[in-house]
Amino acid sequence: MTLLVGWKPDRESDIPLHYQISRHIRNKITCGDWPVGTKIPSQRWLADEFGVNRSTIVMALDELTADGLLHGNRGGGTVVTGLCDHPGSPPPPDWISYVNSGVQSSNIPTVQEINRAEFRPDVIRLGTGELAPELLPQEAMRTVLQALSSETMPLGYAEPKGSASLRQFISQHVETYGIRAAPSSILIVSGALQALHLISIGLLHRGSTIFLEKPSYLYSIPIFHSAGMKLTGIPMDRHGIQAALIPKYRKQYNGALLYTIPSFHNPTGTVMSRERREQLMQVCHYEGLPLIEDDVYRDLWIDEPSPLPLKAADSSGIVLYLGSLSKTVSPGLRIGWIIGPEPVVDRLADIKMQTDYGASSLSQAVVEKWLSSGLYQQHMENLRQQLRHRRTIAVKALEQFLGDYADWEVPKGGFYIWVRLKRELPLKALFAAALKAGILLNPGHLYEGENNRHIRISYAFASLEDLETGIFRLSVLIKDMSNHFETNKSEE
């Protein structure tokens, strides 16, 4: 476990740097922020975080070790071992045992590192799956908020399924996609991620098997694992998930449901073809296999709209449909929706009320204004133009700097280019080297086990200058690493 420190020593002070650092860590321990058993960050990480030489960190840690506050284990890092207590005082709670006993799984280490590094101002975020600050509709949002300020503000709780008027507008909104959904079959959630959490704890038995595309975004989050579920990937091709394989997988693994991102798939950018959607619905209907259709990228088309959603062809209620404005308007609103059979929506609404007593009423009011005012459509027209330009810049940079070392399909929308390296490389090492060089990546193993051939590049977040600079720096690292392994191979 590593811990974000959020503090730097004062280089203008007369107090030596190592003493400032030891005092800071001592305070962390004596105040209970770092309880007994806490594994502190590595010497290299602390040196980078504090902006000092590693020898300075060693001096500080040696002082704390001599005082009995820290203990170094060979191969196990340095842990907190004691407090400056009075003799005979009772021991503090063993918080680390509590931490290790929690039912929610931790993010995998790479995801934890990404979550920390995304807030570093010196990092170029080539993997971030959200809109850049300059693409967020600041002026339109001010218009919406000003309009709300002249009305009675919704400051109380909303009903269990969410604002009735917002659900009515969502019903009208998804009708433009071919989905007919009564407001009573819609549940407002705090983003699609919460929708998956509610489904995992509200509808499934522990030990259930979830089918999904391989690769898939779902592999990078522990929601279903934490609920005791198993994930089984089904291969994709250029048309989407290979639906013909589902009966064989169903027979072998007894899958409980299937999770799919048919439009601008994360991470590959694939758009499931109309024919494959029809086949998938037929197979799942025959198998009695429910689907979760994650359609949060639908409106981010650049070249042409995707085929109609799976939900639009759902005459038997087998599809749970997820939508959101997090990818298109503002991730900070934390508003999404589930559309499904009423008994399912009622069950999930009950679970949600137990969890957080409903999504933010203010955010729901903001989303309602976006959908009812025409601002959403205007914003999307402008956003598609911006994403088209960004995609062009990213593809040109890839062609110029990485064309000899990788290949890719140009996505028709969404945020992502799924870059395939022409030879396998240790992507965990590449991730670390890139972060050291100020580049934040999303390597393939986040989405598919030991995938050492793919990198997810996002053209949505980094500035245009950073897109080119970041891809160039990445190309240098990939070339150096490729040449290194080629040299070693020839010497064997």
Side-chain angles (χ1 to χ4, degrees):
M1 177 179 68
T2 57
L3 302 172
L4 187 63
V5 177
W7 171 88
K8 292 188 183 298
D10 181 5
R11 290 185 171 275
E12 303 299 321
S13 172
D14 293 332
I15 301 173
L17 293 176
H18 80 275
Y19 184 76
Q20 293 184 51
I21 293 169
S22 68
R23 185 174 60 185
H24 173 74
I25 295 176
R26 186 186 299 272
N27 288 338
K28 284 281 189 183
I29 295 171
T30 57
C31 292
D33 291 342
W34 289 5
V36 172
T38 300
K39 183 178 179 181
I40 72 170
S42 69
Q43 294 176 5
R44 180 176 289 106
W45 191 91
L46 287 171
D48 290 341
E49 180 71 16
F50 294 145
V52 297
N53 294 328
R54 191 172 175 183
S55 59
T56 303
I57 298 297
V58 171
M59 291 173 63
L61 298 185
D62 283 349
E63 182 177 301
L64 294 166
T65 300
D67 289 344
L69 297 179
L70 299 178
H71 177 70
N73 295 319
R74 179 170 295 181
T78 301
V79 299
V80 176
T81 57
L83 296 168
C84 298
D85 288 334
H86 297 293
S89 61
D94 184 4
W95 282 115
I96 302 306
S97 68
Y98 284 86
V99 169
N100 294 332
S101 299
V103 297
Q104 177 70 33
S105 302
S106 298
N107 278 319
I108 63 177
T110 302
V111 172
Q112 292 185 30
E113 193 69 29
I114 289 171
N115 290 340
R116 287 190 294 266
E118 282 188 328
F119 295 93
R120 284 175 44 185
D122 61 327
V123 166
I124 295 175
R125 293 163 61 174
L126 284 185
T128 298
E130 64 184 80
L131 293 175
E134 61 266 27
L135 296 181
L136 296 175
Q138 299 286 350
E139 291 302 320
M141 189 63 78
R142 288 191 185 93
T143 299
V144 167
L145 294 175
Q146 287 172 357
L148 279 176
S149 68
S150 63
E151 303 174 4
T152 300
M153 301 292 281
L155 300 180
Y157 294 119
E159 59 184 282
K161 291 184 182 179
S163 161
S165 55
L166 174 57
R167 287 186 286 119
Q168 181 64 51
F169 279 112
I170 290 173
S171 174
Q172 297 170 12
H173 176 69
V174 299
E175 192 171 359
T176 64
Y177 307 149
I179 297 174
R180 298 184 65 182
S184 57
S185 66
I186 300 172
L187 169 64
I188 307 301
V189 292
S190 300
L193 197 59
Q194 187 187 50
L196 295 177
H197 176 68
L198 294 174
I199 291 168
S200 70
I201 63 175
L203 302 181
L204 300 170
H205 296 292
R206 290 189 67 84
S208 297
T209 295
I210 313 298
F211 292 147
L212 65 163
E213 290 115 341
K214 186 179 180 181
S216 174
Y217 154 75
L218 209 57
Y219 281 112
S220 68
I221 57 175
I223 285 179
F224 284 102
H225 277 307
S226 295
M229 312 302 166
K230 304 170 186 175
L231 302 181
T232 296
I234 298 177
M236 300 177 67
D237 59 23
R238 59 192 299 268
H239 300 292
I241 192 169
Q242 296 186 38
L245 298 177
I246 290 175
K248 181 181 74 172
Y249 277 78
R250 187 82 191 282
K251 183 177 181 180
Q252 182 175 354
Y253 298 103
N254 191 30
L257 57 77
L258 183 146
Y259 169 84
T260 179
I261 309 175
S263 297
F264 313 117
H265 176 261
N266 180 6
T268 67
T270 300
V271 176
M272 189 183 295
S273 67
R274 180 177 290 103
E275 294 75 18
R276 183 62 57 81
R277 292 173 192 242
E278 292 174 357
Q279 181 189 20
L280 179 60
M281 288 296 290
Q282 290 171 2
V283 169
C284 289
H285 179 75
Y286 180 81
E287 292 288 331
L289 181 66
L291 297 91
I292 302 174
E293 180 179 13
D294 190 341
D295 212 24
V296 298
Y297 297 98
R298 161 162 294 277
D299 288 337
L300 294 167
W301 59 268
I302 295 175
D303 297 331
E304 60 183 6
S306 296
L308 292 179
L310 300 170
K311 187 64 178 175
D314 182 19
S315 59
S316 55
I318 65 171
V319 178
L320 298 179
Y321 182 85
L322 310 186
S324 171
L325 293 193
S326 292
K327 300 298 182 183
T328 54
V329 174
S330 168
L333 286 173
R334 306 310 305 139
I335 294 294
W337 49 87
I338 304 174
I339 299 175
E342 287 191 26
V344 174
V345 170
D346 289 342
R347 165 65 172 164
L348 298 180
D350 178 60
I351 298 294
K352 179 170 171 57
M353 289 297 284
Q354 297 177 47
T355 304
D356 64 5
Y357 223 72
S360 164
S361 296
L362 284 172
S363 289
Q364 290 184 68
V366 170
V367 171
E368 182 179 329
K369 285 291 184 185
W370 270 96
L371 295 180
S372 64
S373 64
L375 286 174
Y376 182 73
Q377 289 74 17
Q378 296 173 25
H379 165 65
M380 290 310 303
E381 290 176 5
N382 176 67
L383 179 59
R384 291 185 191 110
Q385 294 177 9
Q386 297 293 326
L387 290 175
R388 180 180 292 110
H389 181 54
R390 285 170 159 270
R391 181 187 65 177
T392 299
I393 297 298
V395 170
K396 284 184 177 179
L398 288 169
E399 290 172 346
Q400 181 179 357
F401 302 124
L402 271 175
D404 293 335
Y405 291 84
D407 49 47
W408 55 87
E409 294 287 335
V410 177
K412 297 179 180 179
F415 291 163
Y416 311 118
I417 303 174
W418 190 231
V419 176
R420 178 185 177 275
L421 302 177
K422 293 182 178 180
R423 62 162 301 156
E424 286 193 1
L425 291 176
L427 291 189
K428 292 181 181 179
L430 178 63
F431 172 83
L435 189 55
K436 189 173 182 180
I439 308 162
L440 187 57
L441 301 176
N442 280 44
H445 69 266
L446 295 183
Y447 312 102
E448 187 183 3
E450 297 301 318
N451 185 326
N452 282 315
R453 294 292 282 268
H454 288 89
I455 300 168
R456 192 191 80 176
I457 299 293
S458 168
Y459 49 83
F461 189 84
S463 68
L464 296 179
E465 180 181 356
D466 280 350
L467 263 178
E468 293 183 288
T469 301
I471 291 173
F472 168 71
R473 289 187 194 172
L474 175 61
S475 73
V476 172
L477 294 173
I478 290 175
K479 291 173 185 177
D480 288 346
M481 194 170 284
S482 297
N483 292 338
H484 172 74
F485 279 93
E486 192 64 39
T487 300
N488 287 347
K489 184 178 179 180
S490 63
E491 292 176 350
E492 292 178 353

